[in-house]
């Protein structure tokens, strides 16, 4: 049986494959902050910078770019796996999702939420 961690990893990997520029920007922005002398930093700040740098308004004036917060830990861990010299740069917690069963539910997207006008 698949774990919740495996399920979330699959979702993040599928998103990354569909949006390869997110990984490029994640690496770029992380390396920039490392070059400024930081020994650790917030993955949240990196994600918000990606949003800031890439988002545009659609015809209704709403965000046209969606970057799921659930992917933060996945991107942080992938960065540290790819660049082991920076292991620990992002502080991570034990993944208890590895001990939980997969939900087998579709990933929630903005369409699942009612927008107030």
């Amino acid at each position: 049986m698949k774990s919740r961690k495996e399920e979330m990893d699959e979702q993040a990997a599928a998103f990354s494959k569909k949006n390869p520029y997110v990984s490029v920007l994640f690496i770029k922005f992380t390396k920039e902050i490392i070059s400024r002398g930081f020994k650790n930093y917030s993955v949240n700040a990196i994600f918000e910078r990606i949003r800031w740098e890439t988002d545009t308004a659609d015809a209704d004036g709403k965000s046209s770019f969606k970057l799921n917060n659930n992917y933060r830990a996945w991107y942080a861990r992938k960065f540290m796996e790819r660049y082991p010299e920076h292991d620990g740069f992002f502080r991570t917690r034990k993944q208890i999702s590895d001990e939980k069963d997969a939900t087998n539910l579709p990933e929630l997207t903005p369409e699942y939420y009612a927008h107030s006008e």
Side-chain angles (χ1 to χ4, degrees), residues 34-65:
I34 289 168
S35 73
R36 291 173 50 194
F38 286 86
K39 301 299 181 204
N40 58 61
Y41 205 69
S42 167
V43 69
N44 298 347
I46 303 297
F47 256 50
E48 294 309 324
R49 180 161 179 208
I50 293 169
R51 287 181 173 125
W52 176 267
E53 298 287 344
T54 62
D55 204 6
T56 57
D58 66 12
D60 295 326
K62 296 178 182 170
S63 176
S64 64
F65 177 67

